[in-house]
Amino acid sequence: MARVLVVGSGAREHAIAESFAKDNSINKVYVSPGNDGIAGTFDCFKYDAKDKNEPFAELYNYIQEKKIDYVFVGNEQALADGISNYLEAKGVSVVGPTSEAAQIESSKVFSKNLMKKYRVPTADYAVFNDYNEADAYLEKCSYPVVIKADGLAGGKGVIIAKDQDDAKEALRVIFFDKKFGEAGSQVIMESFLFGEEASIFAFSDGDSFVSTLFSQDHKALYDGDEGPNTGGMGAFAPVDKFLHLKDRVDAEIFAPVFRGLKSEGMPFKGVLYAGLMIDGDKINVVEFNCRLGDPEAEVILPILKTSFADICEAIITKKIDGFELEFNNQYAVGVISASKGYPEAFERGKPIYFGENLSSMQGSIYFAGVKKQGDAILTNGGRVLCATAIGDSLQEAINRAYEMTECVQFSNQYYRTDIGQKGLKD
Ligand code: AMP
Ligand code: GLY
């Protein structure tokens, strides 16, 4: 029986904690820092990272005190900040890469150079440290061009410029207004990829890997994929129409990238997220992330038949070789309820009402931006919660996820009404 700690504070970490809690081999699940919604079910511990030299010292003390067997890291910032390096040096087992291997997400330049060197298909690109050189490149590149800040920017560091004027403005806000802070001191410009996006994860122990089914995020704010990009307004899994591409993704993308990271002296141990652009039989990597996706985790984990704890233990004990993943023959749909105004300004502090019927529905509410006041749960973020439901068909999962979403109400609630619809077509 193991005691496990999940690091992170969003709906993804709530879903991860629930996956562990369902597992017979886990007897206690802690979340750090978690949030007031997650704290309704799991013990949450807010650590103080004030000592910049040792930001995870308090967390380590908590791990010792609670006799935690291993740590699963949900979010990229902690990984980029070296949580795995720190805890592993102290003898704690961690599912999550070192900060060196996490550069696959924390530095787009690192990630693109790695893909090029190990021949992983991705958009052609150029790297710039200097505004004038970047500006000169705008004369000869083709449009639309995609401009990306190098560092972590919470999924917002990407600008798609339709013409030279747009691109000039993008460079100005990155280099001069420092819109993305230090993350924008280096910039990538890459060619625009056409097609449909999908996400897939691989669990790796540094030597071997095993990949999941595909899921699909809905990044745009409005129905029909219109409006600004967000952190994700909902997701569904599996994506049947891409299933036939899974072996190719393993061979052409995951195998060379894990081999590459190992050859570079930074084997990747944890969950690698590949964001793909698929256009007919062309598959390109848009991005890698060094952790599970949010909201993709909320739909992949509930349909996983294999014990999540077994996967984590296989990663820690280096037994992924030959490990097979099984999924339920079902669909999951997750609908995000956000605060109106997100991803720009929005109001917080709205009480959330949970309808009576909610407890009899088959599914889960995963909390993200919420806080507790007395007995009430109030909104406290742009993305407030994710209602996830499972069904024997995608349509059934969609219907159930929306029934749940309608059962949860707050005054400035906003959600997309077409999550999963893409999966019903072709
Ligand atoms: P990233 O942070 O690199 O995942 O980019 C965020 C989003 O921008 C992606 O999910 C895509 O929707 C879009 N994007 C990024 N790169 C490209 C590209 N080369 N072509 C088309 N869309 C892109
Ligand atoms: N769903 C996108 C991400 O997790 O980065």
Side-chain angles (χ1 to χ4, degrees), residues 217 273 289 291 293-296:
D217 187 1
Y273 165 129
N289 293 324
R291 36 81 192 170
D294 191 352
E296 291 94 327

Side-chain angles (χ1 to χ4, degrees), residues 108 146 148 158 190-193 197 219 277 286-287:
K108 289 192 190 292
V146 183
K148 301 186 174 184
V158 174
E190 66 178 37
S191 46
F192 182 82
L193 296 166
E197 283 184 79
K219 286 191 170 120
M277 188 69 85
V286 175
E287 63 166 345

Side-chain angles (χ1 to χ4, degrees), residues 346-363:
F346 55 85
E347 289 178 13
R348 299 166 196 257
K350 311 288 181 197
I352 308 175
Y353 301 98
F354 300 94
E356 272 176 23
N357 297 338
L358 198 59
S359 54
S360 62
M361 290 183 179
Q362 298 174 38

